[in-house]
């Protein structure tokens, strides 16, 4: 079983962690993206990132001296978004770290697919960015089937905890023998399930932590998840769509 999640925009760099790091599987492709980005002007880069001047200047300066092989941070610690704060990997026990290293994969516009202990450097590049690297019109086209091929394992089971713009890049290559279980976290309103971005991110992080704590190997075991007030709703769920609702 594999679990896919999205990255976060905010990243940190730490060199004080006693963790053995590995090299991302698609590092060669990340180098191609890096070299393409380094040729952009400041104005072009700011447009690509769709951000304010402060963030653009920080990332443009960072890009000029980017090193994909030195001063790295484990991916699961480097990302600092809401999902990762609620996952709280810094306090994982060894068994939990082993679990996520085996099962969890972080989708990335820059690195493609990351294992939790892959060493990364801070970057800014969302999957939906119009980055015409090589002959590709955007990043999803650039990565193509490589994301799916890197994520899947012999079980052919993928649990989707990623946002739509990331999960779609894997989902489009699914084969008949694959099982793709998407989790939705929302609130019932007018008979419909409505997701709120912040709460959904919190729940995705908590779900990863829950799965690691309980060493979950089958999707149906996820139905016992009760954190943040969410409960599994059998009436709204199917075999490939798990819906969790909160009051």
């Amino acid at each position: 079983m594999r679990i896919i999640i999205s990255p976060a925009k905010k990243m940190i760099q730490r060199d004080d962690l006693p963790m053995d790091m590995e090299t991302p599987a698609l590092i060669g492709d990340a180098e191609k993206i890096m070299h393409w980005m380094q040729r952009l002007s400041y104005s072009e880069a700011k447009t690509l990132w769709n951000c304010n001047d402060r963030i653009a200047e920080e990332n443009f300066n960072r890009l000029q001296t980017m090193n994909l092989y030195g001063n790295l941070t484990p991916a699961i610690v480097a990302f600092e978004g809401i999902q990762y704060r609620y996952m709280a990997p810094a306090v994982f026990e060894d068994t939990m770290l082993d679990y996520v290293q085996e099962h969890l994969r972080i989708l990335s516009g820059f690195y493609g697919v990351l294992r939790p202990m892959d060493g990364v450097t801070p970057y800014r590049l969302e999957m939906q960015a119009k980055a015409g690297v090589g002959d590709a019109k955007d990043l999803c086209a650039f990565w193509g089937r490589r994301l799916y091929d890197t994520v899947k394992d012999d079980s052919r089971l993928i649990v989707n905890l990623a946002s739509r713009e990331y999960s779609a890049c894997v989902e489009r290559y699914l084969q008949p023998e694959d099982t793709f279980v998407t989790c939705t976290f929302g609130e019932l309103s007018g008979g419909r399930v409505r997701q709120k971005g912040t709460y959904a991110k919190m729940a995705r992080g908590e779900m990863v932590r829950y799965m690691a704590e309980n060493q979950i190997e089958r999707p149906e075991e996820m139905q016992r998840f009760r954190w943040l007030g969410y409960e599994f709703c059998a009436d709204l769920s199917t075999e490939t769509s798990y819906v969790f609702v909160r009051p």
Side-chain angles (χ1 to χ4, degrees):
M1 180 179 69
R2 288 284 162 78
I3 308 159
I4 57 173
I5 62 173
S6 306
K9 291 181 183 178
K10 187 177 181 182
M11 298 182 70
I12 60 170
Q13 195 166 18
R14 292 187 59 178
D15 56 7
D16 60 337
L17 298 172
M19 296 179 173
D20 294 328
M21 287 178 281
E22 301 191 35
T23 301
L26 302 175
I27 190 70
D29 295 300
E31 282 194 85
K32 294 177 184 176
I33 294 176
M34 180 185 71
H35 294 319
W36 178 84
M37 292 177 66
Q38 287 175 334
R39 293 194 292 270
L40 298 176
S41 66
Y42 172 79
S43 177
E44 290 170 330
K46 184 183 175 185
T47 299
L48 178 73
W49 294 325
N50 189 27
C51 61
N52 61 37
D53 283 324
R54 180 186 64 80
I55 295 175
E57 289 173 6
E58 176 187 28
N59 283 278
F60 190 75
N61 292 334
R62 175 187 286 162
L63 188 59
Q64 308 313 308
T65 57
M66 181 174 281
N67 180 359
L68 302 184
Y69 299 95
N71 298 319
L72 305 178
T73 305
I76 199 169
V77 178
F79 292 110
E80 269 213 317
I82 294 171
Q83 179 176 5
Y84 292 84
R85 291 202 296 272
Y86 277 77
M87 190 192 309
V91 296
F92 274 14
E93 297 176 357
D94 288 345
T95 55
M96 296 169 69
L97 284 173
D98 291 342
Y99 176 90
V100 293
Q101 181 67 7
E102 171 65 24
H103 295 291
L104 186 67
R105 296 295 180 266
I106 304 166
L107 303 180
S108 163
F110 186 80
Y111 282 101
V113 177
L114 291 166
R115 294 164 296 185
M117 299 309 298
D118 283 348
V120 300
T121 192
Y123 70 90
R124 186 180 179 90
L125 189 65
E126 297 181 66
M127 188 65 80
Q128 66 266 38
K130 300 297 182 182
V133 184
D135 297 328
K137 64 177 181 179
D138 55 29
L139 288 172
C140 204
F142 171 81
W143 289 112
R145 187 188 165 104
R146 291 195 298 280
L147 302 187
Y148 164 77
D149 287 336
T150 306
V151 164
K152 68 178 175 66
D153 64 0
D154 291 341
S155 75
R156 309 304 291 256
L157 168 62
I158 299 172
V159 173
N160 174 27
L161 293 173
S163 58
R164 181 62 185 166
E165 61 266 30
Y166 285 91
S167 64
C169 296
V170 170
E171 193 170 3
R172 67 179 58 185
Y173 295 101
L174 294 175
Q175 302 299 305
E177 59 269 31
D178 296 324
T179 301
F180 192 76
V181 180
T182 295
C183 295
T184 299
F185 301 92
E187 299 174 8
L188 279 175
S189 176
R192 298 178 59 187
V193 177
R194 301 183 184 276
Q195 288 199 87
K196 294 185 177 180
T198 298
Y199 283 109
K201 291 175 183 177
M202 292 162 59
R204 289 168 184 156
E206 292 275 18
M207 179 60 89
V208 172
R209 185 178 180 184
Y210 174 81
M211 295 177 76
E213 280 188 345
N214 293 278
Q215 302 287 294
I216 286 177
E217 297 291 343
R218 297 181 295 119
E220 51 268 32
E221 297 176 84
M222 299 166 59
Q223 298 173 10
R224 297 195 296 266
F225 178 81
R226 294 290 186 275
W227 295 359
L228 296 172
Y230 284 103
E231 290 192 14
F232 177 73
C233 182
D235 291 342
L236 297 175
S237 300
T238 67
E239 290 185 358
T240 58
S241 176
Y242 283 9
V243 178
F244 296 84
V245 296
R246 62 193 292 270

